[in-house]
Amino acid sequence: MNPLTQVDIRRAFGDGIGGAHFGDDSTEYLFSRIKRLRRAFQQAHPNFKVLDFGIGEPYEGPSQLTRQAVMAATNQPEFDGYPDLGLERLRQVVAVHFGEQFGVNVDPSTQVQDCWGIKPALDALVKVFCAPGNKSSLTSRIQVAVTVPGYPVFGTQASKLGAEVIQMPVTREHSYLFDYRVLEQCQNLHAIYVISPHNPTGRAYDQVPGFWETLVEWCRQRQVALVVDEAYCHLRWVDEDRPFTALSVPGFTDVGVVLHSVSKTLNWTGGRVGWVVGNPTIIAAYRKEYEDSSSGQTLANQHGAAESLTHFNGIIGLIRKSYIERLGRLVDVLRKHGFPVQMPDGGFFVFSPAPTEGGGQAFTDAEAFMRYLLNEQGVVSVPFGSNIRFSCTIKVGGQGQPESFDQAIEALDQRLPQDLKFAL
Ligand SMILES: Cc1ncc(COP(=O)(O)O)c(C=O)c1O
């Protein structure tokens, strides 16, 4: 081996991931940038308590019942083997869960399939809808549509496969709804990815009468698939907190699937269990892709998820109680400082236009405000264009953290400038 030879193995990388330009891109992934800035602040101010209202992850962990079910299953040889297409019991329990929680009937054998959480399921569904095969050409590029801002995985993975990703903006001016009629011009639209309730805006589209019915009919007429990410569907603060699924919309099963997981529903982000439910033909295609690319989800965790769903109301009741109290406090303190916010329809984020001035500074965009808040006040938030998002899942009680949520809110109140101005 010649030590002087410079090897650039990126030559071997696929174009979809950047090819030889992989890693050149100076635009760092948003969450990595925030984590890096947070680390730098903490290193520079080791004794200062950072208030992390940023990325947002449930941290309390799953219920004791969930933990015990997983531990018990781990000790049973019947859960040792390849999971293949998963636990039949989980599929059955999910079907019962959909009946009890949403009043919809699903067939556990043809309409339910497990996944390693929503993120990998989105990746598999992207392959189902966008795998170009050898018929692809620039004139017949597959198109998919996503909301912007939104959870990025569906769009990112689709563009790696060469698909054209059509962006549907969600803005405050339009009540955070998206206009899918812009897709009328599309020649080769295969799928629309929708998040419900939406992240980051917290919007629940079913609050607009007829929204879902018209969207489903639009997709039916054009034979376009609807992929609905319902990660936060049990964290809902409208309609007396009753959960909603797009699967209950008449005709939805002709065109779509919904995705759920234990991450937010059971406070169990590390469990990596979820389920895709809906149209049997899409489920069959998803199953094939799942089988081709994975040997299935850990059986003990599937068992833990199934046990937890059979005791669901008790578990979700506590999780919701904690978030609704926290969100109420967070909304109040932000409103006190002039943020034009209200309780979200769902989810655990508060989304707002970012201020343009305050604390003796002008902010050109939400990124500038985020940097000011972090670097000068030790408060973490997440910018999206001209908007800023705060999560109520802030960790408390540990080293370097506020002692309680109340203390975090009091500290936020003190650290936010008194004179924030908003261009509305
Ligand atoms: C809208 C949305 N979908 C999916 C996920 C990830 O879900 P999972 O942990 O099941 O992969 C997240 C996580 O933040 C999310 O916000």
Side-chain angles (χ1 to χ4, degrees):
M1 190 174 59
N2 182 348
L4 297 178
T5 308
Q6 288 284 332
V7 175
D8 188 352
I9 200 63
R10 294 179 302 176
R11 214 208 110 263
F13 289 178
D15 286 343
I17 201 166
H21 293 290
F22 175 79
D24 285 354
D25 197 347
S26 57
T27 54
E28 200 178 4
Y29 179 56
L30 174 66
F31 287 174
S32 315
R33 181 163 77 250
I34 291 170
K35 284 182 183 169
R36 176 173 58 74
L37 291 170
R38 191 209 140 118
R39 268 196 309 276
F41 177 86
Q42 196 74 81
Q43 268 162 14
H45 309 87
N47 297 321
F48 197 81
K49 282 191 180 164
V50 173
L51 303 177
D52 194 342
F53 291 94
I55 293 160
E57 218 182 274
Y59 72 94
E60 279 150 334
S63 67
Q64 273 310 310
L65 184 145
T66 312
R67 285 188 193 285
Q68 276 160 9
V70 175
M71 280 191 302
T74 307
N75 282 326
Q76 288 174 37
E78 67 182 279
F79 294 115
D80 285 346
Y82 275 126
D84 293 328
L85 285 176
L87 270 190
E88 195 185 333
R89 172 145 186 275
L90 178 63
R91 289 196 286 275
Q92 283 164 353
V93 168
V94 166
V96 172
H97 174 75
F98 268 72
E100 285 174 0
Q101 296 292 321
F102 309 108
V104 291
N105 285 329
V106 293
D107 174 354
S109 57
T110 59
Q111 291 192 276
V112 182
Q113 185 56 53
D114 68 271
C115 59
W116 287 89
I118 293 175
K119 192 175 186 181
L122 288 173
D123 182 55
L125 284 167
V126 161
K127 290 190 188 119
V128 166
F129 295 117
C130 304
N134 50 19
K135 280 197 303 192
S136 84
S137 73
L138 272 180
T139 50
S140 67
R141 262 175 94 191
I142 290 171
Q143 296 166 313
V144 295
V146 302
T147 55
V148 176
Y151 189 61
V153 175
F154 199 81
T156 316
Q157 299 305 83
S159 74
K160 283 182 194 159
L161 293 186
E164 184 186 357
V165 180
I166 317 282
Q167 303 193 340
M168 300 182 290
V170 281
T171 59
R172 188 162 184 268
E173 294 70 54
H174 293 104
S175 312
Y176 298 130
L177 299 174
F178 58 93
D179 187 358
Y180 52 89
R181 287 166 309 177
V182 298
L183 307 176
E184 291 292 355
Q185 311 305 324
C186 289
Q187 299 295 317
N188 199 14
L189 183 66
H190 282 210
I192 302 179
Y193 167 64
V194 179
I195 309 164
S196 164
H198 187 249
N199 176 12
T201 64
R203 188 69 160 115
Y205 305 116
D206 57 287
Q207 294 301 289
V208 179
F211 186 90
W212 275 111
E213 286 76 3
T214 322
L215 174 59
V216 165
E217 191 47 34
W218 193 94
C219 290
R220 276 168 50 90
Q221 282 180 13
R222 289 159 187 80
Q223 301 186 49
V224 168
L226 256 181
V227 175
V228 185
D229 177 340
E230 299 189 334
Y232 300 91
C233 77
H234 292 284
L235 306 181
R236 211 176 121 94
W237 322 116
V238 284
D239 293 341
E240 293 164 1
D241 303 350
R242 273 198 308 277
F244 168 85
T245 176
L247 207 61
S248 62
V249 178
F252 181 88
T253 313
D254 292 340
V255 288
V257 287
V258 299
L259 293 92
H260 290 202
S261 80
V262 300
S263 295
K264 277 74 188 189
T265 298
L266 298 175
N267 249 354
W268 192 21
T269 49
R272 310 312 306 142
V273 187
W275 37 94
V276 186
V277 184
N279 177 279
T281 314
I282 301 177
I283 294 292
Y286 164 71
R287 232 174 228 173
K288 171 159 174 36
E289 175 50 35
Y290 187 44
E291 219 179 0
D292 284 351
S293 61
S294 137
S295 295
Q297 214 287 339
T298 319
L299 286 171
N301 286 18
Q302 289 192 50
H303 174 76
E307 282 302 298
S308 310
L309 287 191
T310 59
H311 298 85
F312 186 65
N313 286 339
I315 296 175
I316 196 71
L318 291 176
I319 296 174
R320 285 152 59 111
K321 185 169 180 301
S322 144
Y323 286 142
I324 200 163
E325 284 169 9
R326 283 174 165 228
L327 277 170
R329 304 283 319 275
L330 183 55
V331 166
D332 284 350
V333 77
L334 291 173
R335 284 181 72 88
K336 183 177 161 196
H337 286 268
F339 287 85
V341 291
Q342 57 188 19
M343 192 71 178
D345 296 340
F348 46 53
F349 304 111
V350 181
F351 188 76
S352 170
T356 49
E357 279 175 54
Q361 310 219 11
F363 309 115
T364 45
D365 55 13
E367 171 87 20
F369 178 63
M370 177 276 281
R371 284 177 186 263
Y372 160 82
L373 264 193
L374 180 53
N375 294 332
E376 302 203 18
Q377 307 294 343
V379 176
V380 188
S381 57
V382 177
F384 291 91
S386 57
N387 296 291
I388 196 90
R389 192 192 76 181
F390 295 87
S391 170
C392 79
T393 58
I394 178 169
K395 285 187 189 168
V396 293
Q399 209 195 353
Q401 292 162 0
E403 270 149 39
S404 63
F405 188 73
D406 281 355
Q407 201 190 65
I409 289 291
E410 277 160 31
L412 179 65
D413 191 11
Q414 282 156 18
R415 293 189 204 177
L416 283 172
Q418 301 293 326
D419 56 351
L420 290 175
K421 291 200 174 46
F422 296 82
L424 291 176

